[in-house]
Amino acid sequence: MEEKILKKDMFERPQGGLFDQVLESEAVMFMAKQNGIDFVFFDCEHGAHSYDRLHDLMLCGNAIGMPSIVRVPELSRAWISRALDFGAQGIMVPMTETRQQAERIVQYSKYPPLGQRSYSGGAHTFYGPSGHHSENMAKANAKVLSIAQIETVKGVENIEDILSVEGIDAAIIGPVDLSISMGHPDDVYTEEEISAIEKVCSTCEKYHKGFGVIGSEKMLELFRGRVNLMVDLIDAHMLRDSFAKASEAYRKLY
């Protein structure tokens, strides 16, 4: 099967993903693939994922052409290296706010000459034969998405500094935390917040970087034609809504 490369595909048409917080089954990767989902976004900041399961899920996903992105819980070499060694096509670091943080994201996620990622074969090379280091590193640098999550006022203020860093490939908005940072935690649609998101979107366009939103269909609609990575589908919400719908149907039969 031809490998799907999000870093390239997201500029050809918007890519829509499943945000996975609780589901840990290879069947999810197959069902996502069969139903036209473009990627699975594993949340290791707020989700319930173990690293041994991520290894198997992403290895399976890559084998069938269902790429993964991992939101790591913090900016650290250990978290980023392991997610990429297990086969993630992208990593996203939450609460990115400064150029220095962006530079560290690149340092940990890209091989030389762009960064200083430590080399290891493994799931990301499908456990192929040893050697071919230069070839594997070049392929990884061309494929891996290094993403800054912008979800604070400070991150918006410094977006030029963040996106001007070579090796940062995209910025993804977290509207809820951004609204909290702005002091209106229950409304992500204030004029102030939409203006801030517009600033991030415009700066992504200026630097030819991907722009993404983890938010509702209404939020995505505001940036129709400009958003590259769309994340509205959240597994925990899907399960909750399905349970509520089933419960309501049962009650009608009482």
Side-chain angles (χ1 to χ4, degrees):
M1 177 178 292
E2 183 179 354
E3 187 176 18
K4 179 178 176 63
I5 307 296
L6 280 175
K7 191 171 178 178
K8 170 179 66 70
D9 292 341
M10 69 178 183
F11 289 111
E12 296 181 0
R13 70 162 176 80
Q15 302 289 296
L18 166 67
F19 201 64
D20 191 315
Q21 294 185 312
V22 297
L23 296 175
E24 289 193 324
S25 170
E26 285 81 359
V28 172
M29 310 302 283
F30 281 93
M31 287 188 282
K33 174 71 175 180
Q34 290 168 357
N35 288 282
I37 299 300
D38 294 304
F39 62 95
V40 175
F41 208 137
F42 290 104
D43 183 10
C44 289
E45 182 187 19
H46 300 300
H49 297 302
S50 60
Y51 256 135
D52 57 340
R53 289 299 296 136
L54 278 183
H55 170 278
D56 297 346
L57 291 167
M58 293 193 294
L59 187 62
C60 169
N62 287 334
I64 64 171
M66 175 51 59
S68 303
I69 299 173
V70 174
R71 174 161 72 175
V72 296
E74 63 183 13
L75 175 53
S76 75
R77 182 184 295 275
W79 280 100
I80 289 173
S81 294
R82 184 169 290 185
L84 293 175
D85 286 349
F86 283 0
Q89 272 202 24
I91 55 92
M92 182 174 75
V93 175
M95 298 287 181
T96 303
E97 295 184 316
T98 67
R99 180 181 182 87
Q100 290 73 27
Q101 290 172 330
E103 289 172 344
R104 287 173 62 201
I105 292 172
V106 175
Q107 179 184 358
Y108 299 156
S109 62
K110 295 296 203 310
Y111 290 118
L114 278 176
Q116 298 177 17
R117 178 181 169 188
S118 175
Y119 185 83
S120 172
H124 69 107
T125 60
F126 286 107
Y127 290 100
S130 299
H132 310 288
H133 300 152
S134 295
E135 178 183 355
N136 289 338
M137 290 191 296
K139 285 182 178 179
N141 280 356
K143 178 173 66 176
V144 166
L145 274 168
S146 302
I147 304 170
Q149 186 170 21
I150 307 301
E151 45 189 346
T152 65
V153 170
K154 185 176 180 180
V156 174
E157 290 174 346
N158 291 329
I159 192 60
E160 286 263 354
D161 288 341
I162 292 167
L163 289 178
S164 64
V165 172
E166 184 182 5
I168 291 291
D169 302 299
I172 291 183
I173 289 289
V176 173
D177 276 314
L178 183 55
S179 70
I180 293 170
S181 177
M182 290 180 164
H184 44 82
D186 295 307
D187 187 357
V188 300
Y189 296 103
T190 64
E191 183 177 346
E192 177 189 20
E193 178 153 359
I194 298 304
S195 177
I197 298 173
E198 169 63 35
K199 178 179 179 180
V200 174
C201 180
S202 298
T203 309
C204 285
E205 292 169 340
K206 174 181 176 180
Y207 286 97
H208 305 289
K209 306 293 177 79
F211 171 68
V213 177
I214 300 174
S216 66
E217 184 177 349
K218 177 182 176 181
M219 179 65 75
L220 293 170
E221 180 67 32
L222 293 176
F223 295 91
R224 176 194 286 266
R226 303 173 71 193
V227 63
N228 308 104
L229 296 167
M230 306 181 295
V231 185
D232 174 31
L233 188 64
I234 301 176
D235 65 344
H237 296 183
M238 292 165 51
L239 291 169
R240 181 193 62 208
D241 294 346
S242 295
F243 291 148
K245 183 178 179 180
S247 178
E248 180 181 359
Y250 288 147
R251 285 196 298 272
K252 291 178 180 178
L253 300 174
Y254 289 170

